[in-house]
CSV table of all heavy atoms in Angstrom, one decimal:
chain,number,residue,atom,x,y,z
R,966,ASP,N,22.4,25.0,37.5
R,966,ASP,CA,21.2,24.4,36.7
R,966,ASP,C,21.7,23.7,35.4
R,966,ASP,O,21.2,22.6,35.1
R,966,ASP,CB,20.2,25.4,36.4
R,966,ASP,CG,19.4,25.9,37.6
R,966,ASP,OD1,19.4,25.1,38.6
R,966,ASP,OD2,18.7,26.9,37.5
R,967,ALA,N,22.7,24.3,34.8
R,967,ALA,CA,23.2,23.8,33.5
R,967,ALA,C,23.9,22.4,33.8
R,967,ALA,O,23.8,21.5,33.1
R,967,ALA,CB,24.1,24.7,32.9
R,968,ALA,N,24.6,22.4,35.0
R,968,ALA,CA,25.4,21.1,35.3
R,968,ALA,C,24.3,20.1,35.6
R,968,ALA,O,24.5,18.9,35.3
R,968,ALA,CB,26.3,21.4,36.6
R,969,GLY,N,23.2,20.5,36.3
R,969,GLY,CA,22.2,19.5,36.6
R,969,GLY,C,21.5,19.0,35.3
R,969,GLY,O,21.2,17.8,35.2
R,970,ALA,N,21.4,19.9,34.3
R,970,ALA,CA,20.8,19.5,33.0
R,970,ALA,C,21.7,18.5,32.4
R,970,ALA,O,21.3,17.5,31.8
R,970,ALA,CB,20.6,20.7,32.2
R,971,ASP,N,23.1,18.7,32.5
R,971,ASP,CA,24.0,17.8,31.9
R,971,ASP,C,23.9,16.4,32.5
R,971,ASP,O,23.9,15.4,31.8
R,971,ASP,CB,25.5,18.3,32.2
R,971,ASP,CG,25.9,19.3,31.1
R,971,ASP,OD1,25.3,19.2,30.0
R,971,ASP,OD2,26.8,20.0,31.4
R,972,GLU,N,23.7,16.4,33.9
R,972,GLU,CA,23.6,15.1,34.5
R,972,GLU,C,22.2,14.4,34.1
R,972,GLU,O,22.2,13.2,33.9
R,972,GLU,CB,23.5,15.3,36.0
R,972,GLU,CG,24.8,15.8,36.6
R,972,GLU,CD,24.8,16.1,38.1
R,972,GLU,OE1,23.7,15.8,38.7
R,972,GLU,OE2,25.8,16.5,38.7
R,973,ARG,N,21.2,15.1,34.0
R,973,ARG,CA,19.9,14.5,33.6
R,973,ARG,C,20.0,14.0,32.2
R,973,ARG,O,19.5,12.9,31.9
R,973,ARG,CB,18.8,15.6,33.7
R,973,ARG,CG,18.3,15.9,35.1
R,973,ARG,CD,17.0,16.7,35.1
R,973,ARG,NE,17.2,18.0,34.4
R,973,ARG,CZ,17.7,19.1,35.1
R,973,ARG,NH1,18.0,19.0,36.4
R,973,ARG,NH2,17.8,20.3,34.5
R,974,LEU,N,20.6,14.8,31.3
R,974,LEU,CA,20.7,14.3,29.9
R,974,LEU,C,21.6,13.1,29.8
R,974,LEU,O,21.4,12.2,29.1
R,974,LEU,CB,21.3,15.4,29.0
R,974,LEU,CG,20.4,16.6,28.7
R,974,LEU,CD1,21.2,17.7,28.0
R,974,LEU,CD2,19.2,16.0,27.8
R,975,ALA,N,22.7,13.1,30.7
R,975,ALA,CA,23.6,11.9,30.6
R,975,ALA,C,22.8,10.6,31.1
R,975,ALA,O,23.0,9.6,30.4
R,975,ALA,CB,24.8,12.1,31.5
R,976,LEU,N,22.0,10.7,32.1
R,976,LEU,CA,21.2,9.6,32.5
R,976,LEU,C,20.2,9.1,31.5
R,976,LEU,O,20.0,8.0,31.2
R,976,LEU,CB,20.4,10.0,33.9
R,976,LEU,CG,21.3,10.1,35.1
R,976,LEU,CD1,20.5,10.6,36.3
R,976,LEU,CD2,21.9,8.8,35.5
R,977,LEU,N,19.6,10.2,30.8
R,977,LEU,CA,18.6,9.8,29.8
R,977,LEU,C,19.3,9.2,28.6
R,977,LEU,O,18.8,8.3,28.0
R,977,LEU,CB,17.8,11.1,29.3
R,977,LEU,CG,16.8,11.6,30.3
R,977,LEU,CD1,16.3,13.0,29.8
R,977,LEU,CD2,15.6,10.7,30.4
R,978,GLN,N,20.5,9.7,28.3
R,978,GLN,CA,21.2,9.2,27.1
R,978,GLN,C,21.6,7.8,27.3
R,978,GLN,O,21.7,7.0,26.3
R,978,GLN,CB,22.4,10.1,26.9
R,978,GLN,CG,23.0,10.0,25.5
R,978,GLN,CD,22.1,10.5,24.4
R,978,GLN,OE1,21.5,11.5,24.6
R,978,GLN,NE2,21.8,9.7,23.4
R,979,ASP,N,21.9,7.4,28.6
R,979,ASP,CA,22.2,6.0,28.7
R,979,ASP,C,21.2,5.0,28.4
R,979,ASP,O,21.4,3.9,28.0
R,979,ASP,CB,22.6,5.8,30.2
R,979,ASP,CG,23.9,6.4,30.6
R,979,ASP,OD1,24.7,6.7,29.7
R,979,ASP,OD2,24.1,6.7,31.8
R,980,ALA,N,20.0,5.5,28.4
R,980,ALA,CA,18.8,4.7,28.2
R,980,ALA,C,18.3,4.8,26.7
R,980,ALA,O,17.3,4.2,26.4
R,980,ALA,CB,17.7,4.9,29.2
R,981,SER,N,18.8,5.7,26.0
R,981,SER,CA,18.3,6.0,24.7
R,981,SER,C,19.4,6.4,23.7
R,981,SER,O,20.4,7.1,24.1
R,981,SER,CB,17.3,7.2,24.8
R,981,SER,OG,16.9,7.6,23.5
R,982,GLY,N,19.2,6.0,22.5
R,982,GLY,CA,20.2,6.4,21.4
R,982,GLY,C,19.8,7.6,20.7
R,982,GLY,O,20.4,8.1,19.7
R,983,ASP,N,18.7,8.3,21.1
R,983,ASP,CA,18.1,9.5,20.5
R,983,ASP,C,18.9,10.7,20.9
R,983,ASP,O,19.7,10.7,21.8
R,983,ASP,CB,16.7,9.7,20.9
R,983,ASP,CG,15.8,8.6,20.4
R,983,ASP,OD1,16.1,7.9,19.4
R,983,ASP,OD2,14.7,8.3,21.1
R,984,GLY,N,18.8,11.7,20.0
R,984,GLY,CA,19.4,13.0,20.3
R,984,GLY,C,18.6,13.8,21.3
R,984,GLY,O,17.4,14.1,21.0
R,985,LEU,N,19.2,14.2,22.4
R,985,LEU,CA,18.4,15.0,23.5
R,985,LEU,C,18.9,16.4,23.6
R,985,LEU,O,20.1,16.6,23.3
R,985,LEU,CB,18.6,14.2,24.8
R,985,LEU,CG,18.2,12.7,24.9
R,985,LEU,CD1,18.5,12.2,26.3
R,985,LEU,CD2,16.8,12.5,24.4
R,986,TRP,N,18.0,17.3,23.9
R,986,TRP,CA,18.5,18.7,24.1
R,986,TRP,C,17.5,19.3,25.2
R,986,TRP,O,16.3,18.8,25.3
R,986,TRP,CB,18.5,19.6,22.9
R,986,TRP,CG,17.1,19.7,22.3
R,986,TRP,CD1,16.4,18.8,21.6
R,986,TRP,CD2,16.4,21.0,22.2
R,986,TRP,NE1,15.2,19.4,21.2
R,986,TRP,CE2,15.2,20.7,21.5
R,986,TRP,CE3,16.7,22.3,22.6
R,986,TRP,CZ2,14.3,21.8,21.2
R,986,TRP,CZ3,15.8,23.3,22.3
R,986,TRP,CH2,14.6,23.0,21.6
R,987,GLU,N,18.1,20.2,26.1
R,987,GLU,CA,17.2,20.8,27.1
R,987,GLU,C,17.5,22.3,27.1
R,987,GLU,O,18.7,22.8,27.1
R,987,GLU,CB,17.6,20.2,28.4
R,987,GLU,CG,16.6,20.7,29.5
R,987,GLU,CD,16.8,19.9,30.8
R,987,GLU,OE1,17.7,20.2,31.6
R,987,GLU,OE2,16.1,18.9,31.0
Side-chain angles (χ1 to χ4, degrees):
D966 283 346
D971 275 339
E972 292 176 5
R973 285 191 297 274
L974 285 174
L976 290 171
L977 288 171
Q978 198 65 48
D979 287 340
S981 172
D983 295 334
L985 309 179
W986 65 292
E987 190 169 85

